Each structure stands twice: as C-alpha cells, then as structure tokens.
Amino acid sequence: MRHFTAVLIFAAVAGWAVFYLPNSPSWAMLRMKQAIDARDGDEAAKYVDFESVVKKAGYEMVQKQGGTDPLSAMLGNAAIDLLTKPMAQLAKSWAVQKVDDGAREVQMPGAAVAASLVLLHRSGDTAATDFTDNRGQRWRIHLARGGDGYWRVTEIEDVGQLLQKLQRNQHLGTP
C-alpha cells in the first residue's frame, strides 16, 4: 500500500510538471531568465509583447504628464497609437542586442525571479506580480497568454521611473 501511494504521488507530480507547468506564466518567467542568462536575445524576446509594453507605457506617461487637460491627453494618446509599432520594434532590437551582449541592465537576478514566481497571481489568461528587488526597485509586471499559447510580459507599471534609472545608470556607467 505504501508503494502504491508513493507511485500515485509521483504520478501526480510528474503530470503537473509535464502538463501544467510548461503552460504557466511561472514557466515563461523561468524560460525568459534562462534565455537571458544564455545570452539568447531572440529567445528572450519571445516572452515580451513589446507592442503592448510600449503602448501601455506611453499611455501611462501621457496620463502622468497630461494631468486634467483632455486635449493634451487626446493628442498624446493619438501619438502613442501612431508610434507604437516603430517604437516597439526599436525597443525589441535594443533588448535583443543587450541580452546578446550580456549587459547587466537586462539581467534578471535570481532572487527577483524567485520573488516574482512566489508573488505571481494568475486569473485565467492573465497574471501579475508585484515585488521589490534587492536594489529597492519595485516591479509590477503583467503577463498575458497570447493566441499561440505563449505567456508574455504585456505591461510594466511605472516604466517611466525605470527608464530614467536605466538612462542615469548608462550615463554613469553603473548597473
């Protein structure tokens, strides 16, 4: 009876690992980290919906800059809609190059990935995580499952603050 129970437990864990885990947002985060660690920018880019990230970041920045002026918000949002595709392609090219070069600013610390997995909340075809890394940076990341079954990052909240830090660090030459 003891052996039968052990076999059942093993079968349940194996089934979970084979059928559920590879289709989860947690798996996508792990695969993205593995691709970044392997300096494979094209593989890592599969786990980011650059168009969505750029569009949502643009809307967020317009909302913060525009205040209560509806005309400014309308013009800003129209510009975002017009420029999303070229900016997304530029962001993807930059990210792929940085990953291929092994740049520190695109590395995913293991502790941050572990925190994101523990704090990941899934609801159907969307997931979100909110954690603070060892540098004190707060990360609020949203993922969604695409039509092809891949989970991708679709939004990084407060990306303006992250871009400012990245730009400042590049000028100073620090990670």
Side-chain angles (χ1 to χ4, degrees):
M1 185 64 172
R2 212 177 317 166
H3 295 291
F4 181 70
T5 304
V7 168
L8 279 178
I9 291 172
F10 177 76
V13 170
W16 174 81
V18 170
F19 296 110
Y20 174 77
L21 188 61
N23 296 316
S24 71
S26 299
W27 183 257
M29 295 292 285
L30 289 171
R31 295 292 299 155
M32 183 166 58
K33 177 173 178 26
Q34 289 174 337
I36 290 170
D37 290 347
R39 294 185 176 190
D40 187 349
D42 289 323
E43 182 66 23
K46 290 179 182 178
Y47 297 99
V48 179
D49 180 348
F50 286 95
E51 248 183 77
S52 177
V53 170
V54 167
K55 183 177 270 190
K56 289 177 181 176
Y59 289 156
E60 182 181 300
M61 287 192 253
V62 165
Q63 184 181 14
K64 286 183 179 180
Q65 296 290 326
T68 58
D69 181 17
L71 182 59
S72 294
M74 185 177 73
L75 290 173
N77 288 337
I80 297 299
D81 290 338
L82 181 67
L83 298 173
T84 294
K85 274 197 188 303
M87 291 301 295
Q89 291 171 347
L90 184 65
K92 181 178 180 179
S93 296
W94 178 88
V96 166
Q97 184 63 48
K98 289 292 186 177
V99 169
D100 288 345
D101 292 344
R104 289 181 53 102
E105 62 263 22
V106 296
Q107 296 299 311
M108 296 173 68
V113 173
S116 72
L117 298 179
V118 170
L119 301 172
L120 190 74
H121 302 285
R122 181 176 174 182
S123 177
D125 286 341
T126 62
T129 186
D130 184 347
F131 65 95
T132 303
D133 68 16
N134 59 355
R135 295 181 187 145
Q137 174 65 50
R138 183 172 183 200
W139 294 89
R140 290 170 293 194
I141 301 170
H142 300 263
L143 295 96
R145 187 192 329 246
D148 59 359
Y150 272 102
W151 282 90
R152 291 183 179 85
V153 173
T154 56
E155 180 180 2
I156 302 170
E157 290 184 35
D158 205 10
V159 77
Q161 173 191 351
L162 296 173
L163 292 174
Q164 287 174 350
K165 281 186 173 183
L166 180 61
Q167 186 178 25
R168 185 173 52 246
N169 289 342
Q170 279 187 332
H171 288 291
L172 297 174
T174 59

